[in-house]
Amino acid sequence: MTALAAPTESAPRHEELVDDRLIMWYYYMALSFLTISMLAGILMAFQLIKANPLSGIELFSPGRWRMLHTNAIAYGFLANAFLGTIHWAIPRLTFHPVASRKLSYFIFFAWQFVVLSTAAGIILGPTFQDQPWVMYLAKTYHLPMGLGAQGLEWGETPFWIDPLSLVGLLLVAYNFMMPIARTKGPMYVSLWYFMAMFVWTPLTVAMGNLLPEYTVAGTSAGAIGGLFIHDLVGLFVTPLGWGLMYYFVPIMLKKPIWSHGLSLVGFWGLAFFYPLQGIHHFLYTPIPMFLQYGAVISTIAVELVVATVVINFFGTLWGRGRAFIDNLPIRYFYTGMVFYFITCFQCALQVTLTFQKLIHFTDWVVGHAHLVMFGVFTLWLFGIMTYLIPLLLKREWYSRTLIEWHYWLSAVGLFIMFLDLTLAGVFQGYYWASMQPWEVSTNGSQPFWIVRAFAGFMMFGGLLCFLYNLTMTVRGEVTQPTSSDSTSVVVLGS
């Protein structure tokens, strides 16, 4: 493992390595799906406070749009944004382009087809589910002709999409593994994370979508479901996120990572402990206790590993602390790292059997999920977009003020939502433990759900600031041909 290699005169030109247009296409689709997902979340928030403006309309039922909310975030926003960003990072790290630009464009359109088909299956599928011709085909050919969602969180994709998404992930792995394979000498830690993700993600998707559907049932299927949900976070999103942090942070701070030894500890700790902790949301279930104890121990171990990673990045920031104030992408990155440490610390608490008695199935878990998916990975991607978009469009941002508003509304709104749902979970746990009627807990949750709705509005307001700023930036004139090697901190602060 070595530090980032400095470009030399013999290195390929940026245009030979990176397709700026394709990255922007990925970002446009990512932001479109994020907008839809957040609108679906707002619809759910209205439903909980008994103010759903679309009540009674079948296609807008909250049950369907809640699934769209989670799937659009995972596969529409995060996957698109990460795919676009590694089209920038991997070729520039390896000095080799992807295996095929045509394949990159094919993957882009194929992935949008998969995401849109999943959305159509979730929204329209249940309406056609009991049609006579569907029932006839299912009975005749003994096939799971479920046009709607499957009964697995984040695996609700209609059954016929699962093989397509698996093929797509294998094509992604081939396209990006080729430039990595051509690299000579020690590889930077970011490439370790990316390579691991290209192997782990297809295995995770196959495990979660195929085994419960065709092979196993009962508690075994429940255990696999728990592994699938958590491994999507830990073995798909997490290695991409940390790999990109190891790439962007040293570039923007103009200094190497503090300790490459600690970066090794972080990578191998993630690889060894994370796959074992997926059952920790299924404590007190019929799943064998030795598996539950294994999840408890590995979850606490992951927190220790995460502490080494966070220490490494703050050690890198040491001496450049002013960048946290002046440089917005750096502020996004380190805010996400703090949230990441909090969410892992929260995991180490909630995974104990004593604590689990109180918060099991409560809004505590919902707050925890929002903290990691929005507070960590979404903020990191906002920071990356804030940094890269001026380079891709060769235009400086239309408004620095709107960028600031985007950051503060997103970060503060998310933190309010996290605190609110965490408290709501504790109250709900005590309501249920006291054996009071169910209505008592839902009535007692109303103040928390109202606060959550306002926090969601803050986060959505931040997104609107970003979208308006992006629109005005795209419509603006090219002010200066920004160098691809520039950090663009002239506008964002230095």
Side-chain angles (χ1 to χ4, degrees):
M1 189 182 300
T2 185
L4 285 171
T8 63
E9 292 183 358
S10 60
R13 293 184 298 114
H14 171 79
E15 293 75 14
E16 298 171 2
L17 296 174
V18 178
D19 189 331
D20 292 351
R21 181 181 64 171
L22 181 60
I23 298 174
M24 282 305 305
W25 284 9
Y26 270 115
Y27 285 172
Y28 290 143
M29 293 308 300
L31 292 169
S32 299
F33 287 122
L34 177 62
T35 305
I36 294 170
S37 176
M38 293 184 77
L39 286 172
I42 289 173
L43 181 65
M44 275 303 300
F46 277 128
Q47 173 73 11
L48 288 173
I49 60 175
K50 305 173 185 177
N52 185 356
L54 305 174
S55 179
I57 304 176
E58 181 183 357
L59 291 180
F60 288 96
S61 62
R64 301 184 193 190
W65 282 81
R66 189 266 178 192
M67 289 187 286
L68 192 73
H69 173 64
T70 55
N71 278 268
I73 281 291
Y75 307 118
F77 172 65
L78 292 177
N80 269 309
F82 276 129
L83 280 172
T85 305
I86 59 175
H87 271 89
W88 175 281
I90 291 181
R92 290 172 65 90
L93 268 170
T94 62
F95 294 138
H96 294 287
V98 294
S100 167
R101 286 201 180 193
K102 290 182 180 178
L103 180 58
S104 288
Y105 277 91
F106 173 77
I107 291 170
F108 170 79
F109 287 110
W111 192 253
Q112 311 319 315
F113 174 76
V114 166
V115 177
L116 291 171
S117 298
T118 299
I122 290 172
I123 300 300
L124 302 175
T127 303
F128 296 103
Q129 190 67 49
D130 57 351
Q131 295 297 308
W133 63 274
V134 176
M135 303 296 288
Y136 172 78
L137 290 175
K139 183 178 180 181
T140 303
Y141 297 104
H142 304 287
L143 290 174
M145 297 295 289
L147 298 180
Q150 299 181 72
L152 176 68
E153 185 161 15
W154 268 2
E156 293 97 343
T157 48
F159 78 96
W160 56 273
I161 293 178
D162 296 335
L164 297 179
S165 60
L166 266 177
V167 172
L169 290 170
L170 292 175
L171 290 176
V172 170
Y174 167 76
N175 208 26
F176 287 103
M177 287 293 276
M178 290 304 291
I180 296 175
R182 295 186 184 121
T183 303
K184 296 179 181 178
M187 286 188 293
Y188 185 60
V189 63
S190 296
L191 295 178
W192 287 54
Y193 277 101
F194 297 152
M195 285 193 300
M197 186 279 296
F198 293 136
V199 175
W200 289 337
T201 303
L203 291 175
T204 300
V205 171
M207 174 188 70
N209 285 281
L210 302 183
L211 291 184
E213 183 74 30
Y214 300 104
T215 305
V216 296
T219 56
S220 300
I224 291 174
L227 285 174
F228 168 70
I229 296 168
H230 237 278
D231 286 356
L232 269 185
V233 177
L235 305 181
F236 166 48
V237 182
T238 298
L240 280 171
W242 281 118
L244 290 171
M245 289 303 98
Y246 277 111
Y247 173 73
F248 281 108
V249 168
I251 287 177
M252 302 195 71
L253 292 179
K254 293 184 172 64
K255 58 188 297 191
I257 198 74
W258 185 55
S259 167
H260 292 288
L262 281 183
S263 68
L264 277 176
V265 172
F267 173 79
W268 289 110
L270 177 78
F272 185 79
F273 290 115
Y274 208 103
L276 303 175
Q277 67 165 334
I279 300 172
H280 73 198
H281 285 298
F282 293 87
L283 304 182
Y284 292 113
T285 65
I287 294 173
M289 284 308 296
F290 76 90
L291 290 174
Q292 298 186 34
Y293 288 141
V296 172
I297 294 170
S298 60
T299 302
I300 296 172
V302 164
E303 170 61 15
L304 300 176
V305 171
V306 167
T308 68
V309 176
V310 174
I311 289 171
N312 201 10
F313 274 96
F314 274 87
T316 306
L317 185 65
W318 189 260
R320 292 294 310 278
R322 186 72 189 174
F324 182 81
I325 299 173
D326 294 338
N327 191 310
L328 267 164
I330 287 293
R331 196 191 306 165
Y332 269 116
F333 296 161
Y334 278 83
T335 303
M337 290 176 201
V338 171
F339 285 157
Y340 194 89
F341 182 82
I342 293 173
T343 193
C344 289
F345 180 69
Q346 195 184 30
C347 252
L349 288 179
Q350 72 191 34
V351 78
T352 59
L353 291 170
T354 305
F355 212 85
Q356 191 70 204
K357 282 182 183 177
L358 179 64
I359 57 94
H360 201 76
F361 292 141
T362 69
D363 275 348
W364 171 292
V365 182
V366 182
H368 173 68
H370 280 81
L371 183 64
V372 67
M373 300 307 290
F374 193 95
V376 180
F377 300 112
T378 301
L379 290 191
W380 282 353
L381 287 167
F382 283 159
I384 290 171
M385 290 182 184
T386 303
Y387 169 67
L388 281 187
I389 284 176
L391 303 180
L392 296 167
L393 295 177
K394 297 180 173 53
R395 295 169 172 85
E396 297 296 357
W397 279 109
Y398 167 73
S399 168
R400 160 93 187 201
T401 303
L402 286 173
I403 295 175
E404 289 280 356
W405 274 102
H406 181 213
Y407 170 82
W408 287 108
L409 287 171
S410 299
V412 175
L414 180 278
F415 194 63
I416 291 174
M417 179 179 286
F418 159 69
L419 288 178
D420 175 67
L421 291 177
T422 299
L423 280 175
V426 173
F427 274 78
Q428 290 163 355
Y430 280 117
Y431 279 130
W432 299 344
S434 64
M435 303 296 289
Q436 297 186 67
W438 174 258
E439 291 78 11
V440 175
S441 69
T442 55
N443 291 336
S445 299
Q446 284 296 313
F448 296 104
W449 289 340
I450 291 172
V451 172
R452 178 172 101 160
F454 279 104
F457 280 125
M458 287 181 66
M459 295 154 65
F460 190 64
L463 177 65
L464 292 180
C465 289
F466 188 68
L467 294 178
Y468 178 74
N469 204 11
L470 175 60
T471 302
M472 298 305 293
T473 302
V474 171
R475 293 175 62 183
E477 296 181 355
V478 176
T479 53
Q480 61 179 19
T482 309
S483 166
S484 297
D485 294 325
S486 164
T487 59
S488 194
V489 290
V490 173
V491 167
L492 300 176
S494 60

